[in-house]
């Protein structure tokens, strides 16, 4: 393995957006048969943010994207490729990326969505990396925007306590030195799709009164199976990303794992050989915001001065599909 691989692209700006409305565990106690102790012990979540009814993925993504572009010193018209990761597109057609493009005025970009659930933002970084490295453009904007509250069954206590809404974004340019993406490892396994999915409302089972009554358009999850696979896949994601970069846990300044569950985060850190002091955690405040979790955490960690130029981070994600990703980045 190459020690210190030369990066092709670097992150030159990040941004985040979380809605103002806070939904606490105490609020959920009034909605379903649950309690704060159970939720905190099993997940580490204390509260999550819920978007306004009139606030969609594109709007949330635009807020995060504007901040990322501002930090990068990039105008919307300079963006060549705009990728949106979302499991909650505002509409089936066109893509949320095209709606976001219009909101931003990023009229010179090619814009499209990717659907890779919680791993989607990391998948998007690699798509952008390839586009820029191929010389097809100079500036990429990769956004994750998730309104998980819109696909949550608010009567299902096994899932409704887990999710929250948020958006995160990054601007990428071709690397000029040793800063940038050092390694990436992406995988998926469609055989396990039905462990975490929305059965109805798509082309196979179009929306109907029956789908609505059965709540087939909302998230269904086999929690224990998802948990087991998440631990295994996050270990593969982080371990292989480290190996591909020729790094070990000792070389990592901060682990930014997908924020689904504190127990999954602890298992991932242990496997990667990274002490919990070097693990960024905000699952307690935001819950699982799917693919927005990592860019939101990265932007927070930068703002808090925990990471900065030259810092090496490891990220790892796991989500529906299943999909999983690991990445090392020198910021
Ligand atoms: N409050 C109180 N009790 C509950 C709740 C709740 N909110 N939810 C379930 N329970 C009960 C169950 O009914 C069950 O009761 P029983 O024993 O009487 O049948 C008991 O708690 C245990 O249920 P389990 O599902 O076995 O609980 P588990 O310890 O597995 O924890 C959890 C559940 C937190 C969902 C866990 O399985 C998990 O974290 N799974 C992974 C979820 C995840 O990360 N999903 C997203 C990853 S992909 C992505 O990010 C999109």
């Amino acid at each position: 393995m190459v020690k210190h691989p030369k990066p092709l692209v670097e992150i030159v700006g990040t941004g985040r957006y979380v809605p103002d409305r806070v939904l606490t565990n105490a609020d959920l106690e009034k909605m379903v048969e649950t309690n704060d102790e159970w939720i905190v012990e099993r997940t580490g979540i204390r509260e999550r943010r819920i978007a306004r009814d009139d606030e969609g993925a594109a709007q949330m993504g635009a807020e995060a994207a504007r901040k990322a572009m501002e930090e990068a010193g990039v105008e919307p018209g300079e963006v060549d490729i705009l990728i949106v990761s979302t499991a909650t597109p505002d509409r089936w057609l066109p893509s949320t990326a095209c709606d976001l493009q219009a909101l931003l005025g990023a009229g010179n970009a090619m814009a499209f969505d990717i659907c890779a659930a919680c791993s989607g933002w990391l998948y998007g970084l690699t798509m952008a990396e390839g586009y820029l490295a191929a010389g097809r453009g100079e500036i990429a904007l990769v956004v994750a925007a998730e309104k998980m509250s819109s696909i949550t069954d608010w009567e299902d206590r096994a899932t409704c306590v887990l999710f929250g809404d948020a958006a995160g974004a990054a601007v990428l340019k071709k690397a000029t030195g040793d800063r940038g993406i050092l390694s990436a490892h992406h995988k998926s396994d469609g055989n396990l799709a039905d462990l975490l999915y929305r059965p109805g409302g798509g082309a196979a089972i179009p929306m109907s009164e029956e789908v609505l009554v059965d709540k087939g358009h909302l998230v269904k999850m086999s929690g224990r199976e998802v948990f087991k696979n998440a631990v295994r896949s996050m270990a593969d994601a982080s371990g292989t990303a480290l190996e591909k970069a020729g790094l070990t846990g000792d070389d990592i300044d901060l682990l930014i794992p997908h924020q689904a569950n504190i127990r999954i985060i602890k298992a991932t850190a242990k496997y990667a050989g990274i002490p919990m002091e070097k693990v960024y955690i905000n699952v307690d405040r935001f819950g699982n915001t799917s693919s927005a979790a990592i860019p939101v955490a990265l932007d927070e960690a930068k703002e808090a001065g925990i990471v900065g130029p030259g810092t090496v981070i490891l990220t790892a994600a796991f989500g529906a599909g299943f999909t999983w990703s690991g990445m090392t980045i020198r910021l």
Side-chain angles (χ1 to χ4, degrees):
M1 287 292 163
V2 188
K3 188 86 178 168
H4 307 306
K6 189 171 159 30
L8 299 171
V9 296
E10 63 182 299
I11 293 177
V12 292
T14 57
R16 69 180 189 277
Y17 171 76
V18 294
D20 292 334
R21 189 177 152 209
V22 177
L23 185 72
T24 65
N25 290 350
D27 296 328
L28 282 162
E29 284 176 10
K30 294 174 203 142
M31 296 161 61
V32 289
E33 186 64 40
T34 189
N35 59 76
D36 177 62
E37 197 189 344
W38 191 96
I39 301 171
V40 172
E41 192 191 307
R42 304 286 177 121
T43 72
I45 301 167
R46 295 182 185 277
E47 58 186 43
R48 66 288 290 144
R49 301 298 179 98
I50 305 294
R52 300 187 310 269
D53 288 349
D54 65 349
E55 193 172 38
Q59 278 168 291
M60 293 197 293
E63 298 279 345
R66 285 190 191 104
K67 289 177 193 152
M69 287 189 294
E70 194 184 325
E71 190 195 342
V74 161
E75 296 297 324
E78 293 179 272
V79 175
D80 296 304
I81 178 168
L82 166 48
I83 302 175
V84 172
S85 162
T86 186
T88 58
D90 287 338
R91 319 186 263 187
W92 288 124
L93 209 66
S95 67
T96 298
C98 284
D99 285 336
L100 175 55
Q101 173 182 33
L103 284 176
L104 294 176
N108 293 315
M110 67 180 284
F112 62 96
D113 288 359
I114 51 176
C115 177
C118 307
S119 313
W121 191 71
L122 296 181
Y123 270 46
L125 291 188
T126 292
M127 300 296 102
E129 179 184 39
Y131 191 78
L132 299 188
R136 308 285 180 232
E138 299 292 323
I139 294 174
L141 175 58
V142 184
V143 179
E146 307 279 14
K147 189 175 177 179
M148 295 303 288
S149 61
S150 69
I151 57 168
T152 297
D153 178 353
W154 290 103
E155 292 174 348
D156 175 14
R157 69 175 181 172
T159 54
C160 76
V161 301
L162 303 175
F163 299 107
D165 302 333
V171 175
L172 278 76
K173 283 185 182 174
K174 271 187 223 165
T176 53
D178 64 353
R179 289 167 59 185
I181 296 173
L182 304 177
S183 68
H185 174 63
H186 304 288
K187 300 283 281 183
S188 51
D189 183 355
N191 291 311
L192 303 174
D194 289 1
L195 294 178
L196 178 53
Y197 73 138
R198 293 168 64 197
I205 307 174
M207 185 55 80
S208 64
E209 205 177 324
E210 200 183 334
V211 170
L212 277 175
V213 169
D214 292 347
K215 298 186 180 178
H217 58 304
L218 301 176
V219 171
K220 308 272 178 278
M221 185 178 73
S222 306
R224 270 186 207 178
E225 288 307 310
V226 172
F227 187 91
K228 274 189 263 172
N229 279 282
V231 171
R232 193 164 44 231
S233 302
M234 294 276 279
D236 174 45
S238 51
T240 310
L242 282 174
E243 193 187 321
K244 284 185 174 178
L247 301 173
T248 71
D250 291 342
D251 301 310
I252 299 301
D253 296 301
L254 189 70
L255 168 63
I256 302 185
H258 174 48
Q259 307 283 320
N261 180 311
I262 191 67
R263 292 183 294 150
I264 298 173
I265 292 173
K266 283 182 177 164
T268 305
K270 194 170 169 196
Y271 180 84
I274 296 174
M276 285 307 287
E277 309 86 77
K278 288 210 248 170
V279 181
Y280 195 80
I281 294 165
N282 64 14
V283 69
D284 52 329
R285 290 179 286 127
F286 301 135
N288 181 349
T289 59
S290 190
S291 66
I294 289 174
V296 166
L298 172 59
D299 192 54
E300 280 196 333
K302 277 173 60 183
E303 193 174 275
I306 300 168
V307 294
T311 303
V312 180
I313 63 165
L314 169 67
T315 69
F318 170 82
F322 291 132
T323 62
W324 61 102
S325 294
M327 197 173 265
T328 60
I329 306 170
R330 182 175 289 111
L331 294 174

